[in-house]
Amino acid sequence: MLQHPKVKGPGVGLLGFSKGGDLCLSMASFLKGITATVLINSCVANTITPLHYKDMFIPSLGSDPGKIVVTESGVLIFLDIWDNPLEELNYQSIIPLERAQGPFLFLVGMDDHCWKSEFYARIASERLQAHGKDRPQIIYYPGTGHCIEPPYFPLCRASVHTVLGQAILHGGEPKAQSRAQVDAWQEIQTFFHKHLNGKKSVPSSKM
């Protein structure tokens, strides 16, 4: 990325959503040149599959598929299937984000039905501070589900999971979700401009 002609440098920013979020946490923790990282409803532990990088290995956070809830309409709710990463058996799955060089911004949908995003953001904050690092910026969005997309995208309360081939519930209420997406778009830009360009403010988005 740093060699790309459109990348200003000297560092790059990462934006990760859901599973992509813990991949971005891992990249920020182990790769050089990453100056700022934004996570949208992400887990602080490695999920779904073990992570291998050079001589490093991070196991996947455990889960219990038996805790899947099926609604009357047949939509799945995954919220409670994931094990607690703070329990001793799962602690090794937590990504060592204290190794990262740059700051973090966590965007948390308080009606997320896929991840316990608020809980994971709190773990990240406590871990960073325990290692003498600055606490991350965390923005909480009440009534907002898992999919915080760019402004004016319609609310996606449920969708068919690519791997499972079944519909899963994301959560969110239309009005709250719409407002959250407009605000999050501006907050993401402000965060990246500050930590990549050194600008404290940016013009309001015209979207």
Side-chain angles (χ1 to χ4, degrees):
M1 288 295 295
L2 289 170
Q3 303 303 316
H4 195 285
K6 297 237 180 234
V7 175
K8 178 181 177 181
V12 296
L14 300 177
L15 172 62
F17 161 65
S18 194
K19 169 59 187 176
D22 70 64
L23 290 175
C24 284
L25 278 179
S26 297
M27 292 172 68
S29 301
F30 295 107
L31 303 181
K32 295 180 180 179
I34 296 172
T35 310
T37 306
V38 177
L39 295 314
I40 302 175
N41 287 327
S42 302
C43 186
V44 73
N46 180 54
T47 62
I48 301 176
T49 184
L51 179 68
H52 299 265
Y53 176 69
K54 295 184 177 179
D55 59 350
M56 177 275 300
F57 169 77
I58 300 180
S60 173
L61 178 66
S63 63
D64 182 358
K67 293 182 179 180
I68 293 176
V69 175
V70 183
T71 67
E72 291 182 1
S73 58
V75 178
L76 309 183
I77 300 177
F78 277 12
L79 186 62
D80 293 322
I81 74 167
W82 304 103
D83 292 345
N84 184 345
L86 294 179
E87 293 179 352
E88 184 176 357
L89 184 64
N90 302 303
Y91 199 72
Q92 293 300 315
S93 68
I94 297 179
I95 298 162
L97 68 166
E98 68 275 2
R99 296 179 48 163
Q101 299 172 331
F104 295 98
L105 166 61
F106 286 81
L107 303 180
V108 176
M110 301 295 284
D111 192 39
D112 186 352
H113 281 53
C114 296
W115 298 109
K116 296 181 179 180
S117 302
E118 179 184 9
F119 176 52
Y120 299 145
R122 188 167 68 248
I123 293 175
S125 180
E126 292 173 355
R127 185 178 179 104
L128 286 170
Q129 292 177 81
H131 285 83
K133 298 295 186 73
D134 291 338
R135 68 177 62 189
Q137 181 182 355
I138 305 175
I139 303 177
Y140 301 98
Y141 293 111
T144 302
H146 188 61
C147 303
I148 303 178
E149 299 183 280
Y152 316 121
F153 273 57
L155 169 62
C156 179
R157 280 189 56 82
S159 67
V160 175
H161 194 282
T162 303
V163 176
L164 298 176
Q166 292 179 275
I168 61 173
L169 186 66
H170 301 303
E173 299 299 329
K175 189 173 183 179
Q177 190 87 19
S178 179
R179 288 179 172 176
Q181 291 181 172
V182 171
D183 185 76
W185 181 259
Q186 191 66 33
E187 290 288 351
I188 291 169
Q189 292 184 84
T190 299
F191 181 80
F192 280 141
H193 276 286
K194 176 181 179 181
H195 297 290
L196 297 177
N197 294 332
K199 296 180 180 179
K200 294 184 178 180
S201 62
V202 295
S204 296
S205 173
K206 296 182 179 180
M207 278 192 70

